[in-house]
DNA sequence: TCTGGGGTCCTAGGACCC
DNA sequence: TCTGGGGTCCTAGGACCC
């Protein structure tokens, strides 16, 4: 029996999250903005109808927003992550084998459901997720992840569910799907394919493997396999462990002093180190980068520096020292820095490290310190305690003017029923 | 004035080894 | 006069994803 893959995709996920608790937002146009309230990253259907594009800078549509009373939200990832967990947990009550692909998507193993029952099954799933979490979802079903993605595009258009299991039906859908809509085909590949008169997903499906290998490497080859119903991307039901951890931000106002940048790097490192410990990983390398405004190409400066740590570490103070040393290497005064970040790479499992932590007294004390600070943060929030002299400034410089409450993760911000 | 953040995978080519 | 070559590891950079 051929395996069947479902793809659940939460509709306009961030916007839908914002709609779960307030009662008055159901049919209003709504937009969620990126960090610093920079640009649109999620739009309700009503906002899409007003021609607000994905990634469009807020300043470009602020007047349309005012005119049509579009509700604007800063991104609230704490809320989204929690609702995402609830959606995934709900799906698991009906489908044991799922591959969580992103915050708002999961592939499902539906092989056990007979073809003729699959539509009803999906309807039940959709209703359950809506009822239990308040989040609307679309479901596409086919034989491979890539085809399930295609089915999901159809489902979105038809507002719901699309089962693509008949060969003729699959080809019919592929023939009217522009090739750029296919999962894994970005703008570069689209341009390349267009040059060779490959316009639709069906054209791509029929391309010889040898040809696609030459122009799109093994990636293209896999896409073609998958369009033909051959699995190239199996379901991964084990959560993959992270290979890198990155924290970066753009600044609302550019920074030029070493001290200011350094305080941000310090705050980023602290944040990244917390993630690292949560993942139970140690960093072996610390990469730091800074950039000026990419929209001003003339004076553009971007640079990064990687530090190889003496010993793998997950401990904030060591990592901060490394990042500060890295910053010194690449910082030049006189530039207006618009973005900076820190990246821990080549992570290893904390449990696999051989050396004894307790053989270094200094290190032992630092680990205790890190643990204590983590505890204080859990109790009093991230501003309760922090490293360095400037972090508070760093907190305030990230602008989120339209932030919604963390309804589900902070006691003080629970939704009120009046 | 104002333009996001966090990831993964693949490849080519250099370094190095025997 | 002759002047190797195969294998592996590492890294930077590209392309794509949500």
């Amino acid at each position: 029996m051929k395996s069947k893959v479902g793809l659940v995709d939460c509709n306009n996920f961030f916007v839908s999250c914002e709609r779960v608790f307030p009662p008055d937002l159901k049919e209003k146009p709504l937009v969620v903005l990126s960090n610093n309230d920079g640009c649109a990253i999620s739009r309700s259907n009503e906002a899409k109808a007003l021609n607000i594009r994905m990634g469009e800078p807020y300043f470009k549509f602020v007047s349309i927003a005012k005119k049509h009373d579009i509700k604007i939200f800063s991104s609230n990832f704490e809320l989204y992550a929690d609702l995402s967990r609830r959606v995934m947990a709900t799906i698991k009550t009906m489908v044991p084998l799922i591959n969580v692909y992103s915050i708002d998507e999961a592939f499902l193993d539906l092989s056990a459901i007979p073809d003729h029952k699959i539509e009803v099954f999906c309807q039940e799933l959709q209703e359950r997720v809506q009822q239990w979490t308040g989040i609307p979802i679309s479901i596409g079903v086919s034989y491979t992840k890539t085809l399930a993605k295609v089915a999901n595009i159809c489902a979105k258009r038809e507002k719901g569910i699309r089962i693509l299991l008949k060969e003729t039906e699959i080809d019919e859908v592929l023939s009217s799907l522009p090739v750029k809509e296919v999962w894994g085909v970005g703008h570069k590949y689209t341009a390349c394919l267009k040059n060779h008169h490959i316009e639709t997903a069906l054209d791509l499906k029929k391309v010889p493997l040898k040809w696609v290998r030459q122009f799109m490497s093994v990636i293209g080859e896999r896409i073609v396999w998958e369009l033909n119903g051959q699995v190239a991307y199996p379901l991964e039901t084990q959560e993959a462990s992270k290979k890198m951890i990155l924290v970066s931000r753009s600044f609302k106002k550019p920074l030029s002093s070493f001290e200011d940048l350094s305080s941000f790097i310090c705050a980023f490192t602290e944040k990244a180190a917390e993630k690292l410990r949560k993942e139970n990983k140690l960093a072996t390398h610390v990469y730091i980068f800074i950039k000026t405004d990419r929209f001003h190409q003339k004076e553009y400066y971007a640079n990064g520096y990687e530090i190889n740590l003496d010993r793998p570490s997950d401990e904030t103070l060591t990592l901060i020292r490394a990042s500060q040393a890295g910053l010194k290497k690449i910082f030049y005064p006189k530039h207006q820095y618009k973005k900076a970040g820190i990246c821990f790479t080549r992570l290893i499992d904390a449990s696999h490290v051989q050396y004894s932590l307790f053989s270094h007294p200094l290190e032992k004390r630092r680990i205790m310190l890190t643990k204590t600070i983590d505890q204080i943060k859990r109790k009093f929030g991230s501003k309760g305690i922090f490293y360095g002299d400037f972090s508070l400034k760093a907190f305030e410089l990230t602008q989120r003017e339209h932030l919604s409450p963390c309804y589900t993760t902070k006691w003080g911000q629970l939704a009120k029923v009046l």
Side-chain angles (χ1 to χ4, degrees):
Chain A
M1 191 178 63
K2 259 186 148 179
S3 60
K4 284 190 285 282
V5 184
L7 173 63
V8 165
D9 191 314
C10 301
N11 302 343
N12 312 329
F13 182 54
F14 300 163
V15 155
S16 297
C17 291
E18 298 294 350
R19 274 178 171 164
V20 167
F21 294 97
D24 54 339
L25 296 175
K26 293 291 178 254
E27 274 153 31
K28 296 259 167 66
L30 222 121
V31 170
V32 172
L33 300 174
S34 63
N35 213 300
N36 281 327
D37 297 340
C39 49
I41 54 171
S42 180
R43 306 149 298 149
S44 71
N45 292 340
E46 300 76 17
K48 288 177 190 173
L50 291 168
N51 274 329
I52 311 293
R53 290 185 315 266
M54 188 67 173
E56 189 169 353
Y58 182 39
F59 71 86
K60 283 193 179 169
F61 66 85
V62 68
S63 58
I64 301 177
K66 284 197 177 128
K67 190 173 161 196
H68 296 277
D69 193 26
I70 301 179
K71 303 292 175 201
I72 302 292
F73 288 87
S74 304
S75 36
N76 180 349
F77 281 98
E78 205 173 321
L79 174 68
Y80 310 153
D82 187 59
L83 289 176
S84 171
R85 273 192 294 275
R86 293 173 187 218
V87 168
M88 301 307 171
T90 306
I91 296 171
K92 276 188 192 159
T93 63
M94 286 182 67
V95 185
L97 284 183
I98 81 168
N99 175 179
V100 177
Y101 176 68
S102 72
I103 195 164
D104 69 336
E105 278 178 62
F107 292 102
L108 324 181
D109 181 2
L110 298 177
S111 307
I113 320 280
D115 287 11
H116 67 280
K117 289 190 181 162
I118 208 133
E119 181 112 29
V120 174
F121 182 86
C122 289
Q123 280 164 6
E124 273 177 40
L125 179 60
Q126 194 182 39
E127 278 161 25
R128 184 177 291 192
V129 172
Q130 175 74 54
Q131 243 173 42
W132 292 13
T133 69
I135 300 292
I137 60 171
S138 303
I139 311 175
V141 179
S142 192
Y143 297 112
T144 63
K145 285 182 172 177
T146 306
L147 286 174
K149 277 267 186 189
V150 171
N152 198 280
I153 294 172
C154 303
K156 280 249 154 63
R157 283 180 197 150
E158 298 151 20
K159 282 208 147 190
I161 293 159
R162 183 66 192 262
I163 317 293
L164 275 186
L165 296 172
K166 293 197 187 89
E167 199 63 32
T168 49
E169 222 176 307
I170 293 174
D171 281 3
E172 198 188 315
V173 167
L174 294 183
S175 73
S176 59
L177 190 71
V179 77
K180 72 166 195 288
E181 305 277 327
V182 175
W183 191 41
V185 179
H187 72 281
K188 291 271 180 184
Y189 286 152
T190 302
C192 168
L193 291 168
K194 205 179 166 102
N195 281 337
H196 293 87
H197 310 291
I198 295 157
E199 309 268 357
T200 70
L202 188 65
D203 296 340
L204 183 58
K205 173 181 172 175
K206 290 180 174 167
V207 132
L209 285 174
K210 210 176 155 189
W211 184 92
V212 79
R213 173 99 202 188
Q214 187 189 341
F215 288 96
M216 293 171 69
S217 82
V218 67
I219 305 261
E221 208 177 311
R222 286 181 193 149
I223 293 171
V224 175
W225 275 107
E226 289 244 320
L227 288 174
N228 281 282
Q230 305 289 327
V231 174
Y233 298 107
L235 220 67
E236 283 158 27
T237 48
Q238 294 275 345
E239 204 175 322
S241 79
K242 282 205 168 36
K243 294 175 177 165
M244 60 178 270
I245 284 172
L246 186 145
V247 173
S248 73
R249 290 288 183 279
S250 297
F251 310 125
K252 192 82 187 168
K253 285 185 195 139
L255 307 178
S256 53
S257 81
F258 182 84
E259 287 69 31
D260 282 348
L261 267 179
S262 151
S263 83
F264 269 97
I265 294 291
C266 188
F268 295 167
T269 310
E270 214 183 319
K271 215 172 182 145
E274 278 167 38
K275 287 194 200 178
L276 198 58
R277 292 191 289 271
K278 219 179 199 173
E279 291 282 321
N280 203 24
K281 295 273 177 188
L282 302 176
T284 63
H285 291 72
V286 175
Y287 179 78
I288 103 124
F289 62 90
I290 50 178
K291 301 171 178 197
T292 62
D293 195 335
R294 67 197 159 102
F295 295 99
H296 295 120
Q297 282 297 321
K298 266 188 200 164
E299 301 114 50
Y300 186 60
Y301 170 78
N303 207 350
Y305 190 83
E306 188 173 61
I307 305 232
N308 189 350
L309 297 172
D310 294 338
R311 193 178 297 134
S313 177
D314 66 353
E315 177 255 311
T316 307
L317 213 50
T318 305
L319 297 165
I320 285 180
R321 289 204 177 132
S323 67
Q324 295 293 318
L327 179 61
K328 283 197 183 108
K329 294 275 186 191
I330 53 176
F331 175 83
Y332 283 97
K334 293 180 189 161
H335 285 307
Q336 297 286 313
Y337 294 100
K338 192 72 175 112
K339 184 172 181 172
I342 176 139
C343 188
F344 299 148
T345 56
R346 282 165 277 180
L347 309 182
I348 57 171
D349 255 313
S351 51
H352 287 176
V353 178
Q354 292 301 309
Y355 67 84
S356 163
L357 298 175
F358 300 103
S359 60
H360 307 276
L362 185 73
E363 205 159 332
K364 185 180 172 185
R365 270 166 52 202
R366 281 205 199 162
I367 289 165
M368 290 301 292
L369 177 67
T370 300
K371 279 194 176 147
T372 308
I373 289 177
D374 278 354
Q375 279 168 8
I376 295 174
K377 275 177 185 293
R378 268 199 291 279
K379 197 159 179 189
F380 297 103
S382 56
K383 286 189 197 173
I385 185 167
F386 47 83
Y387 294 80
D389 301 328
F390 306 96
S391 286
L392 206 53
K393 202 169 165 184
F395 281 115
E396 285 159 2
L397 278 164
T398 302
Q399 190 177 313
R400 294 200 290 178
E401 261 181 32
H402 311 275
L403 191 61
S404 54
C406 290
Y407 299 102
T408 59
T409 54
K410 287 188 181 146
W411 287 110
Q413 301 182 12
L414 287 178
K416 295 186 183 71
V417 181
L418 301 171

